[in-house]
Amino acid sequence: MQIGSPSYRKCLHCGEKSEYYSGPFFVHYYGLTEWSDGEIFQELPSLKETELQKCHFCSNFTWLRQKFDGMTFKDYCDALIFFENLYSKKTIISHVFHKRNKKRLLYIRLNILRKYNDRIRIHPLSNGEKKSKSIDENDKIIFINNANKLIELLKILEPDNHFIIAELYRNIGLFEDSKAEADKIYDENKKRLLLREIENENRDVIIIKQPLTARVSLRAQHEQ
Ligand SMILES: [Zn+2]
């Protein structure tokens, strides 16, 4: 496995140079594990394209697509407060970029959802090792509020994304609403999986796709 050498980019706010990886990535590909919140794990889950960066020196945020993921649950929560405040100002700029800004808030909120879920899910390469950390009560409240706001945003921006809307209703325990959305999912396999979890009143994120060969190919690698 090789991840190449880091590149550097100057922060637009403070001018300090931050490291990021532009590749090349020589990674043995074994497939993807896909979760019900849209998170997808590859062999290098920490090195993927992300649209929002936080400067390690001045803690300011920059919208920049790079292959680096250093943003935590708290970073996204901080970014949300910062950008919601910025975008709510009644300026010509915020009027012109109204739609783009809504999409950016959607992006941040989806990442709050996924970073929270990272504490629940077991990484496909962890060999079943459970996370020991319990989740802070305050974070649970943030998670529920975020799910409610995400449903509102998705109904404006992506009303046909029934899967993720159903998933969010399930996360907050509104199983009837979740079922109504899940019934509209086009993909029969995803629909069946989600309806089963709704039936069981499970609110946690689930795996919806997993490569069958994952364990086998890993073992083969070790034996080489
Ligand atoms: Zn900076």
Side-chain angles (χ1 to χ4, degrees):
M1 192 186 294
Q2 185 187 329
I3 52 172
S5 12
S7 298
Y8 298 88
R9 195 183 291 268
K10 264 191 183 173
C11 171
L12 300 173
H13 303 281
C14 71
E16 289 285 347
K17 285 178 182 166
S18 286
E19 224 176 59
Y20 74 98
Y21 289 86
S22 55
F25 304 100
F26 300 112
V27 174
H28 173 71
Y29 173 81
Y30 74 85
L32 303 169
T33 299
E34 191 180 342
W35 295 75
S36 52
D37 61 352
E39 185 63 287
I40 290 171
F41 281 116
Q42 304 178 23
E43 263 194 63
L44 281 174
S46 60
L47 289 172
K48 58 187 177 182
E49 278 193 0
T50 170
E51 289 174 18
L52 188 57
Q53 309 291 329
K54 185 182 181 182
C55 173
H56 296 303
F57 299 96
C58 69
S59 296
N60 277 307
F61 297 103
T62 309
W63 290 94
L64 202 63
R65 193 177 270 261
Q66 291 174 351
K67 280 203 171 64
F68 181 77
D69 188 9
M71 297 277 289
T72 64
F73 176 77
K74 192 177 177 304
D75 287 339
Y76 281 112
C77 290
D78 291 346
L80 180 73
I81 293 166
F82 177 80
F83 287 107
E84 269 195 331
N85 182 38
L86 185 69
Y87 296 158
S88 68
K89 293 200 171 105
K90 300 254 180 286
T91 61
I92 293 167
I93 302 268
S94 73
H95 181 75
V96 168
F97 291 109
H98 179 73
K99 184 110 195 235
R100 183 205 69 178
N101 293 349
K102 270 217 162 1
K103 283 186 181 166
R104 283 181 167 183
L105 294 177
L106 175 68
Y107 176 87
I108 295 173
R109 287 194 179 279
L110 282 171
N111 277 290
I112 290 175
L113 169 78
R114 288 166 190 161
K115 287 291 164 193
Y116 179 92
N117 282 340
D118 282 350
R119 301 174 194 179
I120 297 167
R121 64 178 127 234
I122 298 159
H123 189 274
L125 296 181
S126 71
N127 281 323
E129 188 189 309
K130 292 237 187 225
K131 302 258 170 94
S132 55
K133 265 199 227 161
S134 62
I135 297 171
D136 190 80
E137 280 305 315
N138 196 40
D139 288 354
K140 281 184 191 167
I141 295 166
I142 292 171
F143 175 75
I144 299 287
N145 286 339
N146 185 59
N148 277 304
K149 285 281 166 64
L150 261 177
I151 293 168
E152 281 175 33
L153 271 175
L154 284 162
K155 284 192 170 175
I156 298 166
L157 296 169
E158 295 182 25
D160 296 331
N161 198 340
H162 302 297
F163 187 85
I164 193 75
I165 297 172
E167 169 73 357
L168 289 158
Y169 277 130
R170 191 172 73 80
N171 291 157
I172 56 179
L174 294 176
F175 296 110
E176 286 300 313
D177 293 312
S178 183
K179 191 176 177 303
E181 283 294 329
D183 283 334
K184 295 181 220 162
I185 297 169
Y186 183 73
D187 185 319
E188 285 300 327
N189 191 42
K190 285 185 176 182
K191 184 199 275 190
R192 185 177 51 80
L193 283 170
L194 214 55
L195 286 172
R196 188 186 65 193
E197 299 306 321
I198 293 165
E199 191 69 28
N200 293 335
E201 302 203 344
N202 176 25
R203 292 167 60 159
D204 289 346
V205 66
I206 55 156
I207 289 175
I208 54 168
K209 205 185 277 176
Q210 197 168 31
L212 289 168
T213 54
R215 289 280 148 80
V216 179
S217 74
L218 277 174
R219 200 178 307 136
Q221 250 186 316
H222 280 294
E223 284 164 6
Q224 267 170 19

